[in-house]
């Protein structure tokens, strides 16, 4: 089966299994999504939520509030996410940049053209990489981009859809194989599968709805307790 066909089949199964999935949080506010995604980097969903909730309750996740906030106070709020001092500096920097460049409102940028120029502009903000930019574009503005996180890279590699955990390779395949209307549901479904079933360690291959499509499951490595497949970055 060609990678594009396998991916479409996988997405169809996950949609049937999980139904309609919605992004977490308030997607009507791009700045809130931006900050929450920065907090999600290299941490668990549970710790991301703790950090974001504390930041919202104590300071308010708005550009004007965070731009003038004390870095130590921001760091105290977001401690559960890890790397709290570095992230606090980055959060204040991005808040100041959003105020200076866009007067605190990202909507005009998100709706502008061409899309790739908007993506590059977002990625020029402090602490904003490819995943963060793409999540803001898809979740908030419904732009046709497919964000890729660590769960999605791992699943694509195990399924044999790609030969390495490369962001742009995974994104390009997904955007070529899937309809834009399916990007959001597919993104969220793969993340749920990665958290609940196709975990980095001790994946539950016998419970996976994609096991018959999966190169890793077919290899039997999961039964032997072998480490997960890894590719280049």
């Amino acid at each position: 089966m060609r990678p594009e066909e396998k991916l479409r089949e996988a997405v169809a199964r996950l949609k049937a299994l999980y139904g309609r999935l919605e992004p977490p949080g308030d997607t009507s506010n791009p700045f809130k999504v931006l900050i929450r995604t920065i907090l999600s980097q290299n941490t668990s969903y549970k710790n991301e939520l703790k950090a974001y909730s504390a930041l919202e309750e104590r300071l308010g996740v708005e550009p004007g509030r965070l731009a003038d906030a004390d870095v130590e106070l921001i760091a105290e709020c977001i401690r559960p996410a890890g790397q709290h001092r570095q992230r606090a500096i980055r959060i204040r920097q991005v808040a100041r940049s959003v105020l200076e460049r866009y007067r605190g409102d990202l909507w005009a940028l998100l709706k502008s053209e061409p899309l790739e120029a908007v993506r590059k502009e977002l990625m020029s903000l402090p602490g904003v990489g490819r995943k963060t930019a793409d999540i803001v574009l898809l979740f908030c503005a419904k732009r046709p981009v497919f964000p890729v996180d660590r769960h999605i890279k791992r699943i694509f590699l195990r399924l044999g859809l790609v030969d390495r955990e490369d962001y742009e390779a995974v994104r390009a395949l997904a955007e070529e194989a899937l309809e834009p209307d399916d990007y959001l549901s597919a993104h969220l479904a793969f993340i749920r599968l990665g958290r609940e079933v196709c975990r980095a360690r001790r994946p539950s291959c016998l419970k996976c709805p994609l096991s018959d499509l999966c190169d890793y499951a077919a290899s039997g490595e999961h039964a032997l307790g072998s480490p997960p497949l890894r590719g280049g970055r």
Side-chain angles (χ1 to χ4, degrees):
M1 187 182 294
R2 294 173 58 245
E4 294 84 358
E5 295 170 348
K6 184 187 285 191
L7 177 55
R8 285 191 286 268
E9 174 63 22
V11 169
R13 292 187 191 184
L14 294 179
K15 286 174 69 177
L17 177 64
Y18 295 138
R20 183 180 178 84
L21 298 174
E22 296 292 342
D26 179 10
T27 58
S28 68
N29 187 320
F31 184 76
K32 290 180 184 288
V33 174
L34 183 70
I35 297 302
R36 182 160 182 166
T37 308
I38 289 173
L39 290 173
S40 76
Q41 296 164 4
N42 300 312
T43 194
S44 68
Y45 175 75
K46 180 180 178 181
N47 288 336
E48 166 209 330
L49 183 57
K50 282 183 180 179
Y52 181 84
S53 297
L55 190 65
E56 182 74 276
E57 289 172 10
R58 295 189 63 181
L59 291 173
V61 181
E62 299 294 340
R65 290 180 177 272
L66 294 178
D68 294 330
D70 181 76
V71 168
E72 291 302 319
L73 183 53
I74 297 174
E76 183 181 336
C77 293
I78 66 172
R79 182 182 293 273
Q83 299 179 323
H84 52 289
R85 295 187 186 280
Q86 300 97 310
R87 290 183 202 257
I89 293 170
R90 203 174 300 144
I91 285 171
R92 191 167 73 171
Q93 287 175 336
V94 77
R96 289 177 173 178
S97 293
V98 169
L99 277 178
E100 292 168 3
R101 296 190 199 179
Y102 317 112
R103 298 182 180 178
D105 186 359
L106 287 168
W107 274 115
L109 171 64
L110 296 184
K111 293 178 179 179
S112 61
E113 298 288 350
L115 174 57
E116 194 57 34
V118 178
R119 189 172 183 251
K120 288 180 179 178
E121 177 74 11
L122 282 172
M123 288 167 59
S124 73
L125 291 169
V128 177
R130 293 173 295 189
K131 185 189 85 167
T132 301
D134 290 344
I135 283 178
V136 172
L137 285 165
L138 178 64
F139 285 18
C140 300
K142 305 298 185 288
R143 303 300 295 268
V145 293
F146 187 86
V148 178
D149 83 335
R150 64 187 185 279
H151 298 295
I152 294 173
K153 286 191 284 188
R154 180 172 67 250
I155 292 169
F156 273 51
L157 181 64
R158 285 176 171 171
L159 286 172
L161 297 172
V162 293
D163 60 8
R164 63 194 186 282
E165 291 186 4
D166 178 77
Y167 189 101
E168 292 301 336
V170 172
R171 183 174 81 102
L173 174 62
E175 291 181 4
E176 178 182 350
L178 304 176
E179 293 295 327
D181 286 348
D182 286 332
Y183 290 173
L184 179 60
S185 59
H187 169 84
L188 296 172
F190 278 122
I191 289 176
R192 181 168 174 179
L193 184 74
R195 287 173 176 162
E196 298 178 356
V197 180
C198 191
R199 297 179 294 272
R201 295 181 180 275
R202 295 185 295 278
S204 300
C205 295
L206 296 179
K207 298 179 181 179
C208 182
L210 310 181
S211 59
D212 61 311
L213 300 175
C214 182
D215 290 1
Y216 179 69
S219 73
E221 290 188 54
H222 62 286
L224 299 174
S226 301
L229 290 172
R230 296 189 182 276
R233 291 186 181 273

